[in-house]
């Protein structure tokens, strides 16, 4: 009797999965839209009531702040525990810039062009001189004074990446042909074209945000959850349980 084995290149790979008994809710870029996060948390509450799991976590992919009007409220919701489950918080490039600004006021010259003003306003910083392109040091000092210590610790404690089962979570993406354990901070926070155009694969499915798309992008090697919430009103969440995937959105 002869047995024919399918060539390795044609063998179907097992479906990616996370360990049994765990449910993950993975949320894309919030960008100051606490109203949408509130709605999404309500949807997660309802979803949990229907299918309870032993261990439930919410993974945020970063970019809590900037562009939308309620950055401080988004962070306060998370640090105060006003979410339906414990949180794993990853860092986005916008949080990295805020931390840089606290050390170097000159960072504001570029940061103010893509969202800093909304964040500073949400923390009660006076913007009159900043709008004129001056007195960045005063704005820096005012943010240092008005930023709650719990919020600062939150920003400082965010992680660059996290992994569970067959999934790897980060903000922007990964450098092709570099092992996941050796990915660099700059790529995890900022990469775009090299990552998005890569048709190969890693050892795990990359779940990321950073680059807005009209719909969540679900590809064999990556899943993009940034649906441009601050502009579109659509905040997207990926639900992972065992080998199943589904989406919730506002």
């Amino acid at each position: 009797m002869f047995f024919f084995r399918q060539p390795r290149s044609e063998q179907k790979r097992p479906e990616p999965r996370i360990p049994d008994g765990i449910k993950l809710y993975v949320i894309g870029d919030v960008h100051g839209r606490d109203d949408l996060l509130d709605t999404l948390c309500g949807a997660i509450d309802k979803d949990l009531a229907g299918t309870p799991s032993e261990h439930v976590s919410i993974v945020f992919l970063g970019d809590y702040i900037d562009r939308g009007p309620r950055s401080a409220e988004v962070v306060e919701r998370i640090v105060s525990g006003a979410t339906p489950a414990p949180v794993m918080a990853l860092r986005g490039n916008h949080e990295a810039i805020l931390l840089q600004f606290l050390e170097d006021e000159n960072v504001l010259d570029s940061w103010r062009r893509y969202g800093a003003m909304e964040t500073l306003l949400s923390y009660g910083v006076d913007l009159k001189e900043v709008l004129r392109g001056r007195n960045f040091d005063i704005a820096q000092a005012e943010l240092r004074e008005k930023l709650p210590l719990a919020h600062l610790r939150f920003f400082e404690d965010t992680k660059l990446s996290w992994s569970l089962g067959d999934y790897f979570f980060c903000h922007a993406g990964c450098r092709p042909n570099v092992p996941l354990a050796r990915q660099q901070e700059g790529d995890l926070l900022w990469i775009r074209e090299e990552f998005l155009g890569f048709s190969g694969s890693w050892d795990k499915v990359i779940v990321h945000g950073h680059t807005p798309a009209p719909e969540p992008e679900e590809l064999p090697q990556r899943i993009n959850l940034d649906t441009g919430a601050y502009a579109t009103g659509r905040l997207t969440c990926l639900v992972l349980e065992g080998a199943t995937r589904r989406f919730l959105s506002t």
Side-chain angles (χ1 to χ4, degrees), residues 18-105:
I18 62 172
D20 293 337
I22 297 175
K23 179 180 282 189
L24 291 185
Y25 293 89
V26 189
I27 299 177
D29 306 39
V30 181
H31 275 308
R33 290 298 302 269
D34 187 59
D35 56 332
L36 301 180
L37 182 55
D38 183 64
T39 299
L40 190 57
C41 284
I44 292 172
D45 262 328
K46 291 181 180 178
D47 192 70
L48 283 172
T51 54
S53 292
E54 186 176 350
H55 299 288
V56 179
S57 294
I58 297 174
V59 181
F60 284 94
L61 297 178
D63 281 6
Y64 313 88
I65 63 170
D66 294 351
R67 295 190 169 131
R70 301 178 67 186
S71 293
E73 289 87 346
V74 169
V75 178
E76 180 60 25
R77 177 184 296 274
I78 297 171
V79 301
S80 66
T83 54
V87 165
M88 165 63 68
L90 303 186
R91 182 174 300 180
N93 58 309
H94 287 257
E95 289 76 53
I97 295 171
L98 180 146
L99 290 171
Q100 291 169 10
F101 171 62
L102 292 174
E103 300 299 323
D104 178 5
E105 70 271 16

Side-chain angles (χ1 to χ4, degrees), residues 31 62-67 91-117 119-120 140 143-144 147 152 155-156 158 160 171 185-186 189-190 192 210:
H31 275 308
D63 281 6
Y64 313 88
I65 63 170
D66 294 351
R67 295 190 169 131
R91 182 174 300 180
N93 58 309
H94 287 257
E95 289 76 53
I97 295 171
L98 180 146
L99 290 171
Q100 291 169 10
F101 171 62
L102 292 174
E103 300 299 323
D104 178 5
E105 70 271 16
N106 295 310
V107 169
L108 187 53
D109 190 40
S110 58
W111 184 27
R112 66 194 177 110
R113 295 183 176 90
Y114 51 97
M117 310 304 276
T119 295
L120 295 176
Q140 179 198 57
L143 180 61
R144 285 176 174 172
L147 186 69
L152 176 60
F155 292 132
E156 292 176 333
T158 50
L160 295 175
H171 176 64
E185 178 176 350
L189 296 180
W190 289 95
R192 274 208 171 100
H210 187 57

Side-chain angles (χ1 to χ4, degrees), residues 2-248:
F2 294 95
F3 295 91
F4 295 94
R5 177 171 294 179
Q6 192 176 28
R8 182 176 297 272
S9 61
E10 297 178 10
Q11 291 179 15
K12 185 177 180 180
R13 296 179 64 180
E15 292 294 329
R17 62 180 299 116
I18 62 172
D20 293 337
I22 297 175
K23 179 180 282 189
L24 291 185
Y25 293 89
V26 189
I27 299 177
D29 306 39
V30 181
H31 275 308
R33 290 298 302 269
D34 187 59
D35 56 332
L36 301 180
L37 182 55
D38 183 64
T39 299
L40 190 57
C41 284
I44 292 172
D45 262 328
K46 291 181 180 178
D47 192 70
L48 283 172
T51 54
S53 292
E54 186 176 350
H55 299 288
V56 179
S57 294
I58 297 174
V59 181
F60 284 94
L61 297 178
D63 281 6
Y64 313 88
I65 63 170
D66 294 351
R67 295 190 169 131
R70 301 178 67 186
S71 293
E73 289 87 346
V74 169
V75 178
E76 180 60 25
R77 177 184 296 274
I78 297 171
V79 301
S80 66
T83 54
V87 165
M88 165 63 68
L90 303 186
R91 182 174 300 180
N93 58 309
H94 287 257
E95 289 76 53
I97 295 171
L98 180 146
L99 290 171
Q100 291 169 10
F101 171 62
L102 292 174
E103 300 299 323
D104 178 5
E105 70 271 16
N106 295 310
V107 169
L108 187 53
D109 190 40
S110 58
W111 184 27
R112 66 194 177 110
R113 295 183 176 90
Y114 51 97
M117 310 304 276
E118 291 86 349
T119 295
L120 295 176
L121 187 63
S122 77
Y123 282 106
V125 174
D126 188 338
L127 299 180
K128 289 194 296 290
E129 294 302 309
V130 173
L131 288 168
R132 296 181 173 92
R134 59 196 187 199
N135 291 358
F136 294 168
D137 57 333
I138 296 176
Q140 179 198 57
E142 193 173 354
L143 180 61
R144 285 176 174 172
E145 177 187 351
K146 294 186 173 181
L147 186 69
L149 180 59
H151 290 211
L152 176 60
R153 293 288 177 259
F154 170 77
F155 292 132
E156 292 176 333
D157 291 344
T158 50
K159 298 181 181 299
L160 295 175
S161 65
W162 186 63
S163 183
L164 182 69
D166 296 320
Y167 292 90
F168 182 89
F169 306 91
C170 61
H171 176 64
C174 297
R175 175 71 53 181
N177 302 313
V178 175
L180 294 178
R182 293 173 54 194
Q183 293 291 322
Q184 298 297 305
E185 178 176 350
D187 289 325
L188 292 168
L189 296 180
W190 289 95
I191 197 168
R192 274 208 171 100
E193 286 78 9
E194 302 95 327
F195 169 65
L196 299 176
F198 181 58
S199 59
S201 62
W202 287 268
D203 292 338
K204 298 175 184 283
V205 177
I206 313 300
V207 183
H208 67 97
H210 187 57
T211 302
E215 304 279 343
E217 297 177 299
E218 188 175 10
L219 303 173
Q221 75 275 24
R222 65 178 181 88
I223 302 172
N224 179 14
L225 297 182
D226 184 359
T227 46
Y230 72 95
T232 65
R234 184 173 189 185
L235 180 61
T236 296
C237 172
L238 169 67
V239 187
L240 295 175
E241 189 170 21
T244 66
R245 297 177 188 166
R246 52 194 174 86
F247 295 94
L248 301 175

